[in-house]
Amino acid sequence: MEDQLIREGEFEYVEKGEGPVIILLHGLFGALSNFEDVINHFSEKYKVVIPMMPLYTLPIINTNVKSLSKFIHKFIEHKGYDKVNLLGNSLGGHVALVYMTKHPERVRSMILTGSSGLYENAMGGSFPRKGDKEYIKKKVEVTFYDPKHATDELVDECFDIVNDKNRLIRILSLAKSAIRHNMANDLHKMDVPSCLIWGKNDTITPPEVAQEFQDKLPQADLFWIDECGHAPMMEHPKEFNKILQKWLDKTFGDAD
């Protein structure tokens, strides 16, 4: 999907389809390919947008979840979107939550999947060692229920990131920021329809995290995907899309 990137000033993004806006927010090691099935499915009835967040280009002192949320606000302002559906995986979900606290009037709904913001066992409890590809492969496999999804391409991407000093420093800064910035006391104020789609076998943001999100968000529906880890939209894309489509249709009548 790299060849579909649109570049406008400081922004790089993919945009496909017409209709209500769904903004896809990727995670810490996220890539455009993570959402390929989502964008292909929903662009039939929605304007689906993936802004590339500046994970590796922010000044280190500002490399945190709040700064990413501010960047997303600048992007939404730049595009002139009114109300948006925010769909975030892992760190992307956390960015959506922070954005919601600052700009609730711009949010139509939140869709969270494996979101940080309450608790996250980042990379299975320890950070990958530089130069040790087999170790990194095992840590990438922790993301999924079925390790076959830890493809050579995905492992190579993570390997390249952790062996680049500038990117590694920023990854560590963002991971620490996510852990420090607990959203538990803010969730009760986020009174918009919220869809939680969670892997039953997620070991990074375990099932009890999803349950706490449902308990504390005023309008939350929780859906489980069995034999699924931290990235449901990658591991079970058809089921993920089916759940989300049905929820959007029921919540907003988007089927009409």
Side-chain angles (χ1 to χ4, degrees):
M1 295 180 69
E2 295 287 341
D3 59 338
Q4 300 176 36
L5 269 177
I6 299 166
R7 292 175 174 84
E8 294 174 357
E10 64 181 301
F11 304 111
E12 291 187 330
Y13 63 97
V14 169
E15 181 180 280
K16 188 175 181 182
E18 291 297 332
V21 177
I22 300 177
I23 293 182
L24 309 181
L25 301 173
H26 58 80
L28 199 54
F29 287 88
L32 292 172
S33 59
N34 294 15
F35 288 109
E36 188 167 0
D37 289 285
V38 176
I39 197 168
N40 288 336
H41 176 87
F42 285 97
S43 59
E44 294 181 9
K45 293 200 302 180
Y46 296 84
K47 184 188 293 289
V48 187
V49 187
I50 313 179
M52 297 302 296
M53 290 192 284
L55 303 185
Y56 312 122
T57 56
L58 288 171
I60 291 175
I61 195 170
N62 293 326
T63 302
N64 53 50
V65 180
K66 285 184 177 180
S67 293
L68 293 178
S69 174
K70 289 177 181 177
F71 176 85
I72 293 302
H73 180 61
K74 286 174 67 179
F75 175 74
I76 289 173
E77 292 279 284
H78 168 74
K79 293 297 294 177
Y81 299 142
D82 184 16
K83 280 187 173 287
V84 300
N85 303 283
L86 294 176
L87 192 169
N89 172 241
S90 197
L91 176 72
H94 204 155
V95 173
L97 291 165
V98 176
Y99 184 86
M100 179 64 199
T101 65
K102 302 295 184 183
H103 308 284
E105 74 286 352
R106 305 297 287 270
V107 181
R108 184 184 189 230
S109 75
M110 288 193 300
I111 301 105
L112 306 177
T113 181
S115 177
S116 59
L118 291 176
Y119 167 81
E120 182 174 19
N121 179 24
M123 294 303 290
S126 62
F127 204 82
R129 294 192 293 260
K130 290 175 66 177
D132 189 340
K133 198 165 189 177
E134 187 58 31
Y135 183 83
I136 289 171
K137 184 176 189 295
K138 289 177 181 177
K139 289 303 176 183
V140 174
E141 289 175 349
V142 168
T143 305
F144 305 102
Y145 172 79
D146 187 339
K148 75 177 184 182
H149 293 283
T151 61
D152 289 343
E153 182 182 5
L154 195 57
V155 172
D156 287 344
E157 286 176 11
C158 292
F159 183 79
D160 289 344
I161 289 169
V162 300
N163 281 281
D164 181 313
K165 182 180 178 181
N166 287 326
R167 290 197 286 179
L168 178 59
I169 289 171
R170 286 167 173 81
I171 286 287
L172 290 170
S173 181
L174 284 166
K176 289 176 183 176
S177 167
I179 292 167
R180 288 194 303 265
H181 195 150
N182 190 283
M183 305 293 295
N185 294 330
D186 298 300
L187 297 181
H188 72 279
K189 297 177 282 189
M190 301 186 191
D191 198 7
V192 296
S194 301
C195 179
L196 310 173
I197 305 177
W198 232 262
K200 276 190 178 179
N201 310 93
D202 188 343
T203 58
I204 296 175
T205 47
E208 56 267 27
V209 174
Q211 195 64 62
E212 186 175 350
F213 272 122
Q214 185 186 34
D215 292 343
K216 292 185 174 179
L217 286 166
Q219 300 185 56
D221 297 307
L222 174 57
F223 303 92
W224 299 104
I225 298 181
D226 200 11
E227 296 187 351
C228 181
H230 188 56
M233 72 287 176
M234 295 175 68
E235 197 159 10
H236 292 281
K238 288 184 179 178
E239 189 169 356
F240 180 92
N241 291 340
K242 183 179 178 181
I243 290 169
L244 179 54
Q245 183 74 68
K246 188 174 180 180
W247 183 83
L248 287 167
D249 292 347
K250 180 181 177 182
T251 303
F252 300 109
D254 285 348
D256 303 327

